[in-house]
Coordinates of all heavy atoms in Angstrom, one line a residue:
K2 N 15.0 -10.1 30.9 CA 15.3 -9.3 29.7 C 14.1 -9.1 28.9 O 13.3 -10.0 28.7 CB 16.4 -9.9 28.9 CG 17.8 -9.8 29.4 CD 18.4 -8.4 29.2 CE 19.8 -8.2 29.8 NZ 20.1 -6.8 30.0
K4 N 12.6 -7.4 25.0 CA 13.1 -7.1 23.6 C 12.1 -6.1 23.1 O 10.8 -6.3 23.2 CB 13.0 -8.3 22.7 CG 14.3 -9.0 22.5 CD 14.2 -10.0 21.4 CE 15.4 -10.9 21.4 NZ 15.4 -12.0 20.5
F6 N 11.2 -2.6 20.2 CA 11.6 -1.7 19.2 C 11.3 -0.3 19.7 O 10.2 0.0 20.0 CB 10.8 -2.0 17.9 CG 11.4 -3.1 17.1 CD1 10.9 -4.4 17.2 CD2 12.4 -2.8 16.1 CE1 11.4 -5.4 16.5 CE2 12.9 -3.8 15.4 CZ 12.4 -5.1 15.5
R11 N 12.8 9.8 12.7 CA 11.5 10.1 12.0 C 11.6 9.9 10.6 O 12.5 10.4 9.9 CB 11.1 11.6 12.3 CG 11.0 11.9 13.8 CD 9.8 12.7 14.1 NE 9.7 12.9 15.6 CZ 9.0 12.1 16.4 NH1 8.3 11.2 15.9 NH2 9.0 12.4 17.7
P12 N 10.8 9.0 10.0 CA 10.9 8.6 8.6 C 10.6 9.8 7.7 O 9.7 10.6 8.0 CB 9.9 7.5 8.4 CG 9.0 7.5 9.6 CD 9.7 8.3 10.7
E25 N 17.4 -4.5 24.2 CA 17.1 -5.6 25.1 C 17.4 -5.1 26.5 O 18.3 -5.6 27.2 CB 18.0 -6.8 24.7 CG 17.7 -7.4 23.4 CD 18.2 -8.8 23.1 OE1 18.5 -9.5 24.1 OE2 18.3 -9.1 21.9
P26 N 16.6 -4.2 27.0 CA 16.8 -3.8 28.4 C 16.2 -4.7 29.4 O 15.4 -5.7 29.0 CB 16.0 -2.4 28.4 CG 14.9 -2.7 27.5 CD 15.4 -3.6 26.4
E41 N 1.4 -11.2 23.5 CA 1.2 -12.3 22.6 C 1.0 -12.0 21.1 O 1.6 -12.6 20.2 CB 0.1 -13.2 23.1 CG 0.5 -13.9 24.5 CD -0.5 -14.8 25.0 OE1 -0.6 -15.9 24.6 OE2 -1.3 -14.3 25.9
L45 N -0.9 -4.4 13.9 CA -0.1 -3.5 13.0 C -1.1 -2.7 12.2 O -1.9 -3.3 11.5 CB 0.9 -4.3 12.1 CG 1.9 -5.2 12.9 CD1 3.1 -5.6 12.0 CD2 2.5 -4.4 14.1
M49 N 0.1 3.7 12.5 CA 1.4 3.7 13.2 C 2.4 4.6 12.4 O 3.3 5.2 12.9 CB 2.0 2.3 13.3 CG 1.1 1.5 14.3 SD 1.4 -0.3 14.2 CE 2.9 -0.4 15.2
E61 N -0.8 12.1 20.5 CA 0.6 12.5 20.5 C 1.5 11.7 19.7 O 1.3 10.4 19.6 CB 1.1 12.4 22.0 CG 0.6 13.4 22.9 CD 1.2 14.8 22.7 OE1 2.4 14.9 22.7 OE2 0.4 15.7 22.4
S80 N 1.3 -8.9 38.7 CA 0.3 -7.9 38.9 C 0.5 -7.2 40.3 O 0.6 -7.9 41.3 CB -1.1 -8.5 38.8 OG -2.1 -7.5 39.0
G107 N -5.2 1.3 31.8 CA -5.1 1.2 30.3 C -5.3 -0.2 29.7 O -5.1 -0.4 28.6
G129 N -12.6 -3.2 13.8 CA -14.0 -3.5 13.7 C -14.9 -2.4 14.2 O -15.9 -2.0 13.7
Q143 N -28.7 3.2 4.2 CA -30.2 2.8 4.2 C -30.3 1.6 3.2 O -29.6 1.5 2.2 CB -31.1 3.9 3.6 CG -30.9 5.2 4.4 CD -31.2 5.1 5.8 OE1 -32.3 4.7 6.2 NE2 -30.3 5.6 6.7
I167 N -25.3 -6.6 5.6 CA -26.3 -6.9 6.7 C -27.4 -5.9 6.7 O -28.6 -6.2 7.0 CB -25.6 -7.0 8.1 CG1 -24.7 -8.2 8.1 CG2 -26.6 -7.0 9.2 CD1 -23.7 -8.2 9.3
R171 N -26.4 -2.4 -1.5 CA -25.6 -3.0 -2.6 C -24.2 -2.5 -2.2 O -23.9 -1.4 -1.9 CB -26.1 -2.3 -3.9 CG -25.2 -2.7 -5.1 CD -25.8 -2.0 -6.3 NE -24.9 -2.4 -7.4 CZ -24.9 -3.5 -8.1 NH1 -25.8 -4.5 -7.7 NH2 -24.0 -3.8 -9.0
E188 N -16.5 -14.9 -1.1 CA -16.6 -15.2 0.4 C -17.4 -14.3 1.2 O -18.1 -14.7 2.1 CB -15.2 -15.2 1.0 CG -14.2 -16.3 0.3 CD -14.6 -17.7 0.8 OE1 -15.0 -17.8 1.9 OE2 -14.3 -18.6 0.0
C210 N -21.8 0.4 -10.1 CA -22.7 1.3 -9.4 C -23.6 2.0 -10.4 O -23.5 3.3 -10.6 CB -21.9 2.3 -8.6 SG -20.7 1.6 -7.5
V214 N -23.5 6.4 -6.2 CA -22.9 6.0 -4.9 C -23.6 6.8 -3.8 O -23.6 8.0 -3.9 CB -21.4 6.2 -4.9 CG1 -20.8 5.8 -3.5 CG2 -20.7 5.3 -6.0
N250 N 3.8 10.1 1.6 CA 4.1 11.2 0.7 C 5.3 12.0 1.2 O 5.4 12.3 2.4 CB 2.9 12.2 0.6 CG 1.9 11.7 -0.4 OD1 2.0 10.6 -0.9 ND2 0.9 12.6 -0.6
R267 N -25.2 18.3 -2.9 CA -25.6 18.5 -1.4 C -25.1 17.4 -0.6 O -25.8 16.8 0.3 CB -27.1 18.7 -1.2 CG -27.7 19.9 -1.9 CD -27.9 19.7 -3.4 NE -29.0 20.4 -3.9 CZ -29.3 20.4 -5.2 NH1 -28.5 19.8 -6.1 NH2 -30.4 21.1 -5.6
E288 N -22.9 -6.8 19.4 CA -23.7 -7.0 18.2 C -22.9 -7.7 17.1 O -23.4 -8.6 16.4 CB -24.2 -5.6 17.6 CG -25.1 -5.8 16.4 CD -26.0 -4.6 16.1 OE1 -25.6 -3.4 16.4 OE2 -27.1 -4.8 15.5
A290 N -20.4 -9.8 17.6 CA -20.2 -11.2 18.0 C -21.4 -12.0 17.6 O -21.3 -13.1 17.2 CB -19.9 -11.3 19.5
L329 N 0.9 -9.3 14.3 CA 2.3 -9.8 14.6 C 2.2 -10.7 15.8 O 1.8 -10.3 16.9 CB 3.3 -8.7 14.8 CG 4.7 -9.1 14.9 CD1 5.2 -9.6 13.5 CD2 5.6 -7.9 15.3

Side-chain angles (χ1 to χ4, degrees):
K2 284 281 177 200
K4 260 190 194 176
F6 277 92
R11 301 226 177 262
E25 299 195 20
E41 293 181 79
L45 300 194
M49 293 165 84
E61 285 290 301
S80 177
Q143 307 298 308
I167 291 168
R171 174 179 177 79
E188 298 286 329
C210 310
V214 176
N250 278 7
R267 294 77 149 175
E288 185 161 29
L329 187 67

